[in-house]
Amino acid sequence: MGDAQRGRVRVETSRKRVRVHLAGHQVADSSAPVLVWENPHYPAYYLPAADVTAELEPNGSTRHSPSRGEATGYDVVVPGHTAYGAALRYLDSPIPELNGLVRLDWEAMGEWFEEDEPVYVHPRNPYSRVDILASSRHIRVEIDGVTVADSHSPHILFETGLPPRYYLPLVDVRTDLLIPSDTHTSCPYKGTADYWTVRIGETDHHDLVWIYRTPLPESQKVAGLACFYNEKVDIYVDGTLEERPKTPFS
C-alpha cells in the first residue's frame, strides 16, 4: 500500500483512561487507548491487547480493509456471556501502529467509559468542538410556505463540521403542528434527542424537529429547546433565507 493510501487513516494515542464493560464484567481497562479515524467524521477506539481482560476466542472470521489490511475476528467472552464477533485484531497491518491492538465493537459492548463518565454512540472526537451561544438573531422557520417557528431568542449551537443549529424556545414554535415521533437518536456530546413530525395540512414531514430534554452537562444550554434540520426546511436569519447546507443529514 502506498503512502498516499495509508495517509487516509489517522492514528493517535489518547491520554484518557478508557474502560469497557460487558454484562457487568470488565472487558478492558486502558490508559493508552488509540484513536483510529476509520472514517473522516469520528474515531474508533483500539486498545492495547495487554489491557483487554476478557477472553478473546478466535472464531475463524476475517475482515479486509483497503487501508488497514486483514483483520482476524474474535468472540469476546466474559463469565456467563459471549459477544460473538465483537473484536478484531490486525496482526500484520500495513499501518504498524495497529499491530498489537484490539478493536472492540462499540455496539456489542455494554458500557464504555472515558475516565469515570459513560460515553455513548462513539468516542468523542478531540478535534470536534461544540459551542452554544445565546443570540438575539431573528430566526424564522418555514415549511411549505407556512411559518412554523419565529424567535428572537435562539441558542445557536456551533459544532465542528456541521452547520449552525438554531435551538428555539417552544413558546416560539407552532407546537400545534407537531406530532410526537417514535424516533430517538443519541449524540456523545449532547445526549438523547426526541423527535417530532411536522404536519402541514395533510402532509407529514417526518422527524424534522428534535429536542434534548435532559442533555449532557456540557450541552445544558439547549435543554428543552427545539431544533429544525437546516437541510430540510427554509430558515430565515434576520430576514435572509439561508441556503440549505449539504450534509449527511440532507
Side-chain angles (χ1 to χ4, degrees):
M1 183 181 67
D3 289 339
Q5 187 176 10
R6 184 176 304 170
R8 294 176 187 172
V9 178
R10 180 175 187 152
V11 178
E12 179 178 310
T13 300
S14 173
R15 300 294 296 274
K16 295 176 181 176
R17 180 189 183 190
V18 170
R19 285 175 290 167
V20 188
H21 290 181
L22 175 63
H25 298 276
Q26 181 174 283
V27 172
D29 184 348
S30 180
S31 297
V34 177
L35 293 166
V36 180
W37 276 260
E38 300 174 337
N39 67 66
H41 305 296
Y42 55 84
Y45 272 131
Y46 283 57
L47 306 178
D51 295 339
V52 177
T53 54
E55 185 177 352
L56 301 182
E57 293 186 349
N59 58 23
S61 68
T62 60
R63 185 183 303 177
H64 180 75
S65 164
S67 58
R68 301 184 297 280
E70 201 78 14
T72 301
Y74 296 81
D75 299 332
V76 179
V77 181
V78 295
H81 188 86
T82 298
Y84 297 97
L88 293 174
R89 293 193 65 182
Y90 293 90
L91 301 174
D92 189 24
S93 173
I95 304 174
E97 297 94 329
L98 302 187
N99 299 328
L101 302 179
V102 177
R103 187 196 189 282
L104 297 170
D105 182 81
W106 188 279
E107 295 294 335
M109 298 296 102
E111 294 286 348
W112 289 77
F113 296 89
E114 292 177 345
E115 296 300 333
D116 290 348
E117 296 192 3
V119 185
Y120 304 105
V121 187
H122 58 73
R124 294 184 177 99
N125 187 338
Y127 299 101
S128 288
R129 181 183 174 96
V130 175
D131 290 308
I132 303 169
L133 304 177
S135 175
S136 58
R137 293 197 189 202
H138 180 201
I139 306 298
R140 187 169 69 86
V141 182
E142 192 175 281
I143 300 174
D144 291 348
V146 176
T147 295
V148 296
D150 194 321
S151 180
H152 288 271
S153 54
H155 279 68
I156 306 177
L157 188 147
F158 299 91
E159 182 173 347
T160 305
L162 290 173
R165 300 295 193 192
Y166 304 103
Y167 283 79
L168 311 177
L170 284 176
V171 294
D172 295 335
V173 177
R174 286 279 308 274
T175 55
D176 58 304
L177 302 177
L178 304 184
I179 302 170
S181 168
D182 292 331
T183 299
H184 308 279
T185 61
S186 295
C187 168
Y189 311 104
K190 297 184 286 293
T192 299
D194 302 325
Y195 282 75
W196 285 291
T197 288
V198 182
R199 178 167 291 171
I200 304 294
E202 297 183 357
T203 302
D204 286 349
H205 300 271
H206 295 282
D207 297 339
L208 285 191
V209 194
W210 68 88
I211 185 171
Y212 290 97
R213 298 189 184 277
T214 55
L216 296 174
E218 57 264 41
S219 297
Q220 282 296 314
K221 287 184 178 180
V222 299
L225 305 181
C227 189
F228 293 78
Y229 275 112
N230 313 45
E231 299 89 338
K232 301 175 182 180
V233 302
D234 292 323
I235 296 183
Y236 292 81
V237 179
D238 292 331
T240 300
L241 176 63
E242 287 203 328
E243 182 177 351
R244 294 188 183 186
K246 300 296 183 183
T247 77
F249 302 102
S250 296

